[in-house]
Each structure stands twice: as structure tokens, then as C-alpha cells.
Amino acid sequence: MKKRLFVILAVTLILLPLAVYFFAGWNVRSNAQVSLSRAQRLLAERQPDAALDQLHWLRWFEPDQPQANLIAGECYFVKKQYPEAISLLSRFDTASPYYLRASFALARSYENTAQMEEAERILKQHLEVSPGSQEAVTELQWLYFNQFRLRELQDLLERSLDYCPNKYLLLFHLLNSEHKKPIAQESIRNLNRINEVKPNQPSIMRAIGNSHWKLGEIEQAKTFLEASRRLQPENLETTLICLEFYLELGDQETLKKLLAEIQNGSESFQTQLKQDDRWHWLLSRLELQTGETEAALKSIQEASRLKAKQINYLQQEAMILQALGKKADAALKFQETQKLAASHRELYKIVSSGALDSPTVELGNQIVVYLETLGYQNQARAWRDLVQQFQSLQPTSPP
């Protein structure tokens, strides 16, 4: 009898906690939506600790509950506990219905932990899923701007004109990025802080080198640019900056070595270079330095073919034509250069005056003309649409 009672007691002691566990789990799961709603409301009210308390048992019983992990990740982001936020928000792939919300907070978390290349990767992936995400475009835009990656910035904003609802914001930044360049003295402080926290990111090393170059600090520039190139020997932007850097220095020996490395590189990288107008422009400058004038003309003409109406390309072509004795052709190129330069100056005046802050129909029409002259057809078309919107908002005169 005692033995039987002992068995019953033992079984009860084993089963009772299990019963309590399963009952509690069932209760938590049954009320999951209530907990999630409360946590979301608390997060919206900037009470992340209370929101995490609300989710505590749900996350304990269901550690893979996606909404709970999303809200918890956002709570940690608000609390500036970025490693915890990254751990949770990185669980969502592009197939998840919560991906876009999670990925933007994830990119910001990477930025706040100085992991800029991871932030860039996530923002690009985010835009592949949702190309009309204005907040992701803006975040990536500033990442590019602070790293002096103006070609990539402008390409991003141009592409986004087809998707983002606030076209004026994109057009505003396109004009500003063209006429108000990043300042090396300001950028390098931030870049150095990033490099101290998370060293050996190739894009950051390249940006630091570029900053030193702009500040006239040649040896420091060389150190960082070469470090970036060692980390990513076939990166397009790094290769182009290094090529221009050594061209400016007139360092023929290093240029020969760099070109030899490019020729020994992968076929896909060489193709990538040949499809970029800047490569042909730099090649033309190098050929001029080595006295290969005919080759320099062909290279600059290829640059203009790939990207038409570039003032520096036309100016260089005109100078080469003049050197070859083709004065009539050179005069035509100089005339075209002057026409483009005049439109460029007028846009600079508009940007520097602050007139873009309060655009009018008249201003918009002027900008359209200048942009069309410069060959920026997508921007001109978007400005024309804006002008039509401005006109529709104007009060009509009484009969």
C-alpha cells in the first residue's frame, strides 16, 4: 500500500509541473494576439521595457514567434541595445511578411554599431523587395554621400524617381548632390570614428583615403586607398579612385603596376570597367600623359558615348582635337562645352540661393530647360510633372 502511494505521489509530482507548464503555455498562446497588441501599443508609446515585459512569456513559450521577435527587436532598437536588436531582426528573410519592417530597423542597427557595409547590404536588399521605400532610399543616399560615393548616390536617386512617391525630395537631393559636395574636414571625423569601432571595412577605408586626398594629405591617402584595394582588389569604385589618385600624382610606375593588375584580373571585372565611362576618361588622361594622343581621343569619345553631355569629357575631347590640328571639330566641342557649362552654372545659382526650398512654376520651368540641355532627361521629365502639379494647385482667376 505504501509503495502504491509512493508511486502515485511520484507520478503526481512529475505530471503536475508538466500539466501546469502545458496549461500555462496554452493560456499564453491563446492570448498571444492580446499580448502582441499590447506590446505594439506600448512600443508606439515609447515604453520598450513595458512592451518587452508584455512579450516575456510568449517569447519564452514560443521563441520563434515572428511578431514577438519583430516587436522585441524594435524594442531593443529603441533602447539602443543594437546587438540584441540585430540578433532578433536578422531572423527575417525576404519571404517573411515582416521583412520590410524588420530589415529597415536592422540596417539602422548595423549603422549604429558602425557596420556600414552590412547596413548597405541590407538597405540594397530592402530596396530590391520594395523599390518605392522612401526611407530606405534616404538612408542609403546619406550613406553614399558621407563616403563621397556621388555617382552611386545619383544613380540611386535617378532610379528611385520611377518608384518613390515624393519625387520632389529626390529631385531636391539630386540637384544638391551635384552642386554641394561633401566636405572632407567634416566627413573624415565621422569616418575615423567608424573605423575605430569597426576596422577594415573596404568602403570606409576608401572613403578615409579619399578624404585625406582632398585635404592634401597624400601619404595618409595612399595608405588607406591601398588598404582598401588589398581588401577588395576588384572593386570598381576603389580601382577608379586609385587610378585617378596616381594620375594626379603623375606616378607612372604605380600606374603601370595598377594597369597590369587590372589586365591580370578576372574577365568580369575588366568588362565592368569597360562599361564605365569614368574608366575611359581616366584612360584618356593617362594616354595623354604618355603622348598617345590618338588613343586618348578614342578613349574620351568612348567615355562620351557611354555618358553623353559630360562637360569634362567634351572639354578634354576639344583639347585633344585642337592638339591634333582639327580646329573646326575642336571649336564645335568647345561651343557645346560652353553651352553645357552655362546651364550648369545657372543650376548652381539656383541651388546655392536656397530657391529650391520654395519652388515656383517659373523656377520649375527654368530647371526643366537647364536639365534638358545637360541631358538629364529623367530629372527634366519629373520636374515637368511637378510643374503641372504646381499649376493645378494655383487658384484660378475669376472670369
Side-chain angles (χ1 to χ4, degrees):
M1 185 67 177
K2 286 183 180 181
K3 185 176 179 181
R4 185 178 177 186
L5 286 172
F6 178 78
V7 170
I8 291 171
L9 182 60
V11 170
T12 301
L13 289 173
I14 293 170
L15 293 178
L16 185 59
L18 289 173
V20 170
Y21 171 81
F22 284 112
F23 177 77
W26 173 82
N27 187 52
V28 167
R29 293 184 184 93
S30 298
N31 292 284
Q33 201 55 51
V34 173
S35 298
L36 291 167
S37 297
R38 286 175 180 168
Q40 185 63 65
R41 177 177 54 79
L42 290 165
L43 176 59
E45 294 171 354
R46 310 297 288 184
Q47 299 182 59
D49 288 316
L52 287 168
D53 287 342
Q54 186 66 228
L55 294 172
H56 176 76
W57 287 111
L58 178 58
R59 293 180 62 218
W60 195 83
F61 280 107
E62 279 196 78
D64 294 324
Q65 216 287 344
Q67 274 186 278
N69 285 327
L70 173 66
I71 297 170
E74 291 177 324
C75 286
Y76 285 121
F77 175 78
V78 171
K79 286 164 60 67
K80 299 184 179 181
Q81 295 178 222
Y82 300 116
E84 290 84 352
I86 289 169
S87 174
L88 291 168
L89 296 171
S90 59
R91 299 182 185 186
F92 297 88
D93 60 25
T94 55
S96 169
Y98 308 110
Y99 171 75
L100 291 175
R101 183 170 152 186
S103 62
F104 186 72
L106 176 61
R108 295 295 314 280
S109 298
Y110 279 130
E111 285 181 329
N112 282 289
T113 52
Q115 299 180 73
M116 306 309 290
E117 297 207 334
E118 282 299 299
E120 180 182 348
R121 180 182 66 82
I122 295 298
L123 287 168
K124 284 180 175 178
Q125 188 173 275
H126 182 105
L127 286 169
E128 286 177 9
V129 176
S130 178
S133 173
Q134 196 107 37
E135 61 180 4
V137 169
T138 299
E139 202 64 31
L140 188 55
Q141 165 201 328
W142 288 115
L143 186 150
Y144 286 153
F145 183 83
N146 292 326
Q147 294 180 23
F148 301 91
R149 296 162 66 179
L150 298 182
R151 174 63 72 89
E152 291 168 277
L153 185 159
Q154 289 166 349
D155 288 346
L156 167 70
L157 296 179
E158 283 265 6
R159 287 194 308 272
S160 301
L161 284 171
D162 294 330
Y163 302 103
C164 290
N166 190 347
K167 289 182 172 51
Y168 169 70
L169 184 64
L170 301 174
L171 293 167
F172 176 90
H173 286 302
L174 273 164
L175 286 176
N176 272 275
S177 66
E178 176 71 24
H179 298 280
K180 289 185 178 180
K181 309 298 184 186
I183 300 170
Q185 292 95 327
E186 295 178 1
S187 296
I188 198 167
R189 289 193 292 270
N190 181 51
L191 291 166
N192 280 330
R193 282 195 296 269
I194 291 170
N195 193 48
E196 287 170 8
V197 176
K198 184 70 176 176
N200 297 324
Q201 296 180 85
S203 61
I204 300 301
M205 305 287 277
R206 180 177 69 234
I208 294 173
N210 203 357
S211 299
H212 281 300
W213 179 20
K214 293 180 187 303
L215 293 170
E217 298 163 352
I218 300 304
E219 290 305 315
Q220 296 97 315
K222 190 181 295 185
T223 297
F224 281 97
L225 289 175
E226 286 298 334
S228 178
R229 199 160 70 86
R230 283 194 298 272
L231 290 166
Q232 285 185 332
E234 293 196 347
N235 180 276
L236 176 67
E237 297 300 322
T238 303
T239 300
L240 292 173
I241 287 177
C242 285
L243 186 57
E244 187 173 7
F245 174 69
Y246 290 115
L247 266 170
E248 291 285 344
L249 293 181
D251 187 343
Q252 294 295 327
E253 185 179 342
T254 305
L255 283 168
K256 286 179 184 177
K257 181 182 175 184
L258 178 54
L259 290 170
E261 289 175 4
I262 290 170
Q263 289 170 356
N264 291 326
S266 69
E267 192 174 321
S268 62
F269 179 56
Q270 292 181 52
T271 300
Q272 191 181 6
L273 279 169
K274 289 173 184 176
Q275 292 172 348
D276 194 291
D277 57 285
R278 295 167 295 172
W279 161 256
H280 296 281
W281 173 57
L282 293 169
L283 202 57
S284 177
R285 290 172 58 187
L286 176 60
E287 287 159 346
L288 278 178
Q289 284 188 8
T290 55
E292 302 170 74
T293 312
E294 292 282 358
L297 178 60
K298 289 180 181 178
S299 293
I300 199 62
Q301 287 173 338
E302 179 63 12
S304 289
R305 187 190 70 80
L306 290 166
K307 195 169 181 65
K309 297 193 176 186
Q310 296 298 295
I311 295 171
N312 53 343
Y313 297 175
L314 285 167
Q315 193 169 35
Q316 183 159 313
E317 185 178 353
M319 291 169 62
I320 296 172
L321 287 167
Q322 193 172 56
L324 291 170
K326 301 178 180 181
K327 294 182 179 179
D329 291 339
L332 289 173
K333 293 297 177 184
F334 277 127
Q335 287 174 11
E336 190 175 354
T337 300
Q338 290 168 0
K339 182 182 176 183
L340 294 173
S343 289
H344 194 270
R345 282 194 301 272
E346 292 303 317
L347 285 174
Y348 174 78
K349 290 177 186 176
I350 290 170
V351 171
S352 59
S353 70
L356 284 177
D357 294 335
S358 303
T360 62
V361 169
E362 183 183 3
L363 180 69
N365 283 324
Q366 289 175 356
I367 291 171
V368 168
V369 173
Y370 300 140
L371 289 172
E372 285 181 332
T373 301
L374 289 164
Y376 298 134
Q377 301 303 331
N378 286 345
Q379 291 183 54
R381 191 160 40 248
W383 270 106
R384 194 177 289 108
D385 292 342
L386 277 180
V387 167
Q388 291 177 355
Q389 291 177 30
F390 297 156
Q391 288 173 329
S392 68
L393 295 173
Q394 288 183 338
T396 54
S397 301

